[in-house]
Structure formats: structure tokens, C-alpha cells
Amino acid sequence: AQTVTQSQPEMSVQEAETVTLSCTYDTSESDYYLFWYKQPPSRQMILVIRQEAYKQQNATENRFSVNFQKAAKSFSLKISDSQLGDAAMYFCACFPLLTFGTGTRLTIIP
Amino acid sequence: GAGVSQSPRYKVAKRGQDVALRCDPISGHVSLFWYQQALGQGPEFLTYFQNEAQLDKSGLPSDRFFAERPEGSVSTLKIQRTQQEDSAVYLCASSDLGETQYFGPGTRLLVL
């Protein structure tokens, strides 16, 4: 079985500050991928960032970066210079058989 | 197409009614996935197609749920004799044999 756990139901951050969202996972697969998806109130899931498990280098996409700790099965998302448009539910997911966590609702405080 | 589209966006059904939800994947995408998302939860896998073949339907909650993709492009998720517990957002995603899935806007189903 594959599980993904997000232990922070809600987080808030001041605009322009940095926030880190936590995710732990468990999988029996040796070759897998991890994702962070963003779901704004409109409910369209948008890919934020992906990480191949075989790569040691942490993925980065502009203001978004991950801290991938394979041994600890941890995959956190760091958002730098937070913007109002970052407010959304954030889901961590593990592929194959895309399994999602329960999400973290991120609020940006102006 | 530019992205995954789903229709209708909203559906209200009376308990016992049959519903059909449509998904148009990104043109050329081989893989298509259906998910069910309850309020306040993450999406849960329902079923997966590669071209027209349904390779995994282990997530379908009951035999009232049926999905098809007869020509390997558009897919339909059908729910027969809807129940109140079927109320959820149904998400469709597609991918090109890779690992990254691109999601549609979802269909919000409310069963009264």
C-alpha cells in the first residue's frame, strides 16, 4: 500500500515571507515520483512541482522548491516570497498509483 | 486541446437517477484517470485507462460506477442509481505515458 501524510491541515504566512509545507510518504516502489499540486477555490488542480525519487538534487520551480529526504521519506514544499495568488489547498502526491495526502490549506496574510 | 475539459461542471441529481460525466483529455494523451474528491479531502483514485483499455478499476466504490473510453480519447464516468454518498467532485486527469497528470476542472455532483 502507498500512503501520503500531510500533518498540517492549515498554514498561514505573511505576504512576501517564506512558508514550508510538510509531507511524508510511504511506498514499496523503488522507482517513484512525488508531486505537489495546488488547488485554488476554483478547484482546478495545478501542478506545482515534481521530484523523481532517483534524483538527489532537490527540484526547484521559480519561488517553489522542495526538500526531498529519501531515507526519511519526507518531501516538503518551500514557497518563497509568498504572494496572494498562492492561497490554495496544497496536496502532496506519490506516483505510481497517484496517492494524495489530505491537503494543507494555505492562507496568505496581506 | 489546450487542457483537460470536463462536462457538466455541476450536476444535481435526484437519488436513484443515473448520471454521466464526460472528460476530454489533452489531445494525444494516452493515459486517463478518474478521481473522486469528497469535501475537504484529497482526490481518491477510481479508475485508469491506457488508450481504450481500462487497466485498473480497483477504486470504483461499487458496481453502480462504470467508466469507458471506447476510442481512446473521450471518457465517460457513469453512475447508476445515484445515492447521497456519491455527492463529490469528480476529477479527470490525463498524461502522456509519463508520470505527470494534468487535471480538468472537475464535475461537482450533488445527489439530493
Side-chain angles (χ1 to χ4, degrees), chain A residues 26-42:
Chain A
D26 193 15
T27 181
S28 57
E29 301 289 334
S30 57
D31 186 17
Y32 58 92
Y33 297 76
L34 296 163
F35 300 86
W36 278 98
Y37 280 91
K38 166 185 175 181
Q39 191 176 42
S42 67

Side-chain angles (χ1 to χ4, degrees), chain A residues 33 35 37 39 41-47 50 52 89 91 95 97-103 105, chain B residues 4 9 33 35 37-43 45 56 89 91 98-105 108:
Chain A
Y33 297 76
F35 300 86
Y37 280 91
Q39 191 176 42
S42 67
R43 299 199 76 90
Q44 178 120 26
M45 282 278 201
I46 301 166
L47 176 68
R50 61 173 265 172
E52 293 88 342
M89 283 289 286
F91 291 97
F95 179 94
L97 189 61
L98 201 61
T99 305
F100 287 83
T102 51
R105 181 176 303 279
Chain B
V4 179
R9 292 293 310 278
F33 304 80
Y35 295 87
Q37 186 176 22
L39 189 64
Q41 300 294 317
F45 170 81
D56 188 341
V89 175
L91 297 171
E99 304 75 24
T100 301
Q101 297 182 23
Y102 298 91
F103 284 80
R108 184 186 296 271

Side-chain angles (χ1 to χ4, degrees), chain B residues 26-72:
Chain B
I26 293 173
S27 179
H29 275 194
V30 171
S31 300
L32 186 146
F33 304 80
W34 284 99
Y35 295 87
Q36 182 188 59
Q37 186 176 22
L39 189 64
Q41 300 294 317
E44 293 197 358
F45 170 81
L46 293 177
T47 186
Y48 157 54
F49 291 85
Q50 189 163 311
N51 295 308
E52 67 278 4
Q54 190 174 18
L55 298 187
D56 188 341
K57 54 181 181 179
S58 61
L60 295 176
S62 78
D63 59 7
R64 297 186 295 102
F65 286 70
F66 171 75
E68 59 184 6
R69 194 186 185 197
E71 297 178 359

Side-chain angles (χ1 to χ4, degrees), chain A residues 81-95:
Chain A
D81 185 26
S82 297
Q83 301 176 0
L84 294 177
D86 295 334
M89 283 289 286
Y90 285 80
F91 291 97
C92 177
C94 182
F95 179 94

Side-chain angles (χ1 to χ4, degrees), chain A residues 5-110:
Chain A
T5 303
Q6 293 178 250
S7 58
Q8 305 156 313
E10 296 185 0
M11 291 282 285
S12 60
V13 62
Q14 291 280 146
E15 193 176 2
E17 296 296 311
T18 296
V19 64
T20 299
L21 309 184
S22 301
C23 173
T24 58
Y25 64 93
D26 193 15
T27 181
S28 57
E29 301 289 334
S30 57
D31 186 17
Y32 58 92
Y33 297 76
L34 296 163
F35 300 86
W36 278 98
Y37 280 91
K38 166 185 175 181
Q39 191 176 42
S42 67
R43 299 199 76 90
Q44 178 120 26
M45 282 278 201
I46 301 166
L47 176 68
V48 174
I49 199 165
R50 61 173 265 172
Q51 172 81 43
E52 293 88 342
Y54 63 85
K55 288 187 177 178
Q56 292 187 337
Q57 186 173 6
N58 288 325
T60 299
E61 286 288 340
N62 301 313
R63 298 183 294 108
F64 299 88
S65 61
V66 299
N67 183 5
F68 175 45
Q69 302 289 328
K70 191 171 184 178
K73 295 186 177 179
S74 169
F75 182 62
S76 61
L77 174 69
K78 186 172 83 170
I79 307 174
S80 304
D81 185 26
S82 297
Q83 301 176 0
L84 294 177
D86 295 334
M89 283 289 286
Y90 285 80
F91 291 97
C92 177
C94 182
F95 179 94
L97 189 61
L98 201 61
T99 305
F100 287 83
T102 51
T104 297
R105 181 176 303 279
L106 179 64
T107 301
I108 310 297
I109 303 166

